[in-house]
Amino acid sequence: ISVPSCSVTDAGLVSLADGCPRLESCSFQACKHITDKGISSLARSLHLWSISVGHCEAITDASLIALAKNCPCLDHLDVWGCY
């Protein structure tokens, strides 16, 4: 799934994680309403191998930790432009 520069929120990511437990790849570049809560919900997917959250300014180290701990298949992580 790829939805760059949109108004997706954490609630949307929680619903996506709940409804698509076998999600493998997603891109939410420049989605300004996504925070650690939303990324942490996606990190429950054991099948996630690629995630792009570049320019998502509300993402912190907590998101990276959740992904590292919970996504054994993660092969690609794009956080370009995150401060």
Side-chain angles (χ1 to χ4, degrees), residues 2-9 13 27-34 56:
S2 180
V3 287
S5 300
C6 68
S7 58
V8 170
T9 65
L13 293 188
S27 176
F28 301 103
Q29 294 183 0
C31 293
K32 297 180 181 187
H33 303 290
I34 293 175
C56 291

Side-chain angles (χ1 to χ4, degrees), residues 14-25:
V14 170
S15 294
L16 182 64
D18 290 343
C20 302
R22 298 183 64 87
L23 185 67
E24 294 180 352
S25 177

Side-chain angles (χ1 to χ4, degrees), residues 13-81:
L13 293 188
V14 170
S15 294
L16 182 64
D18 290 343
C20 302
R22 298 183 64 87
L23 185 67
E24 294 180 352
S25 177
C26 53
S27 176
F28 301 103
Q29 294 183 0
C31 293
K32 297 180 181 187
H33 303 290
I34 293 175
T35 70
D36 295 330
K37 180 181 177 183
I39 298 302
S40 292
S41 67
L42 288 177
R44 294 179 291 166
S45 174
L46 298 177
H47 302 281
L48 191 64
W49 61 267
S50 177
I51 185 167
S52 296
V53 290
H55 293 285
C56 291
E57 298 169 358
I59 301 298
T60 71
D61 290 349
S63 290
L64 302 180
I65 292 167
L67 291 166
K69 285 184 175 180
N70 300 308
C71 299
C73 296
L74 192 63
D75 184 51
H76 173 81
L77 173 62
D78 175 8
V79 291
W80 188 79

